[in-house]
């Protein structure tokens, strides 16, 4: 579990899309252009309450944005960086659309459930894959044997090639 900073949505925060209301559970990771959360959606299946997990990626440029407003949820940025932030947000949305269009073509490309805007920013909702990371596996067990490493690397490389080739095609059009 990642640490929470002033720039993350806190556990219990709610995100509403046109389809659902998600409840933020924890931060999975943060980078220069976004924050990824584990969230859940509550529903009922034949009178049984069900909590379905999702991963939600939020566009948040850490060097240009701040969080204000009710529940510290609204993202704000100043006029001098407006063009830079809005261009990066457009790239973020293009990434979500690209993932959505490729998700059935390769098992290493995450499934995107929906894309929405709220809190003066954009989000995309993905399947939540519960498990450990390759980093944790190596830290716990040490270096992988060549064949085992290739078992991870080759499928990932194929997914990356499909993704980057689609991005190049999109840039040319």
């Amino acid at each position: 579990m990642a640490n929470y900073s002033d720039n993350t949505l806190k556990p219990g925060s709610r995100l509403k899309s046109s389809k659902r209301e998600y409840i933020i559970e924890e931060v999975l990771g943060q980078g220069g252009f976004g924050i990824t959360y584990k969230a859940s959606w509550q529903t009922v299946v034949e009178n049984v309450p069900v909590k379905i997990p999702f991963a939600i990626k939020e566009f948040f440029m850490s060097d240009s944005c701040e969080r204000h407003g009710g529940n510290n949820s609204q993202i704000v940025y100043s006029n001098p960086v407006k063009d830079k932030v809005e261009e990066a947000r457009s790239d973020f949305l293009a990434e979500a659309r690209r993932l959505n269009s490729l998700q059935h073509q390769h098992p290493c490309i995450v499934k995107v459930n929906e894309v929405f805007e709220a809190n003066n920013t954009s989000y995309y909702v993905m399947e939540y894959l519960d498990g450990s990371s390759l980093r944790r596996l190596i830290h716990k067990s040490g270096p992988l044997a060549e064949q085992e490493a290739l078992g991870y690397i080759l499928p990932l490389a194929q997914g990356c090639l499909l993704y980057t080739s689609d991005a190049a095609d999109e840039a040319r059009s």
Side-chain angles (χ1 to χ4, degrees):
M1 177 166 46
N3 291 332
Y4 295 97
S5 72
D6 290 340
N7 290 321
T8 62
L9 294 171
K10 304 302 179 243
S13 297
R14 296 177 182 272
L15 281 175
K16 290 183 183 183
S17 74
S18 61
K19 291 183 179 182
R20 300 183 178 86
E21 180 175 79
Y22 301 96
I23 300 169
I24 300 298
E25 293 184 7
E26 66 180 281
V27 173
L28 297 174
Q30 274 181 271
F33 285 88
I35 304 168
T36 303
Y37 303 94
K38 179 180 180 186
S40 61
W41 171 55
Q42 303 277 339
T43 190
V44 176
V45 177
E46 297 183 14
N47 297 321
V48 177
V50 178
K51 183 168 124 175
I52 301 171
F54 290 93
I56 299 179
K57 188 168 184 179
E58 174 185 53
F59 174 73
F60 186 92
M61 287 182 67
S62 59
D63 66 344
S64 301
C65 298
E66 293 181 0
R67 204 176 287 280
H68 295 284
N71 293 329
N72 207 27
S73 59
Q74 291 292 319
I75 291 180
V76 296
Y77 45 89
S78 64
N79 264 347
V81 297
K82 181 180 180 189
D83 291 341
K84 177 177 114 174
V85 170
E86 289 178 2
E87 183 178 330
R89 185 170 164 184
S90 176
D91 292 344
F92 177 89
L93 291 169
E95 173 183 308
R97 285 190 301 272
R98 195 166 31 260
L99 287 170
N100 191 40
S101 71
L102 296 171
Q103 66 188 359
H104 299 294
Q105 295 182 35
H106 198 279
C108 288
I109 295 178
V110 69
K111 311 274 184 289
V112 175
N113 190 47
E114 71 172 311
V115 179
F116 68 96
E117 297 187 47
N119 301 327
N120 198 34
T121 193
S122 299
Y123 300 87
Y124 60 90
V125 181
M126 304 167 282
E127 64 182 323
Y128 175 75
L129 302 172
D130 195 15
S132 190
S133 69
L134 185 57
R135 176 179 297 170
R136 284 191 196 127
L137 174 66
I138 293 169
H139 185 5
K140 180 181 173 186
S141 304
L144 302 176
E146 181 179 353
Q147 282 307 111
E148 187 179 6
L150 287 172
Y152 291 108
I153 295 167
L154 293 177
L156 290 172
Q158 290 169 340
C160 288
L161 284 172
L162 181 62
Y163 180 83
T164 55
S165 121
D166 185 72
D169 290 346
E170 185 177 292
R172 283 192 288 274
S173 38

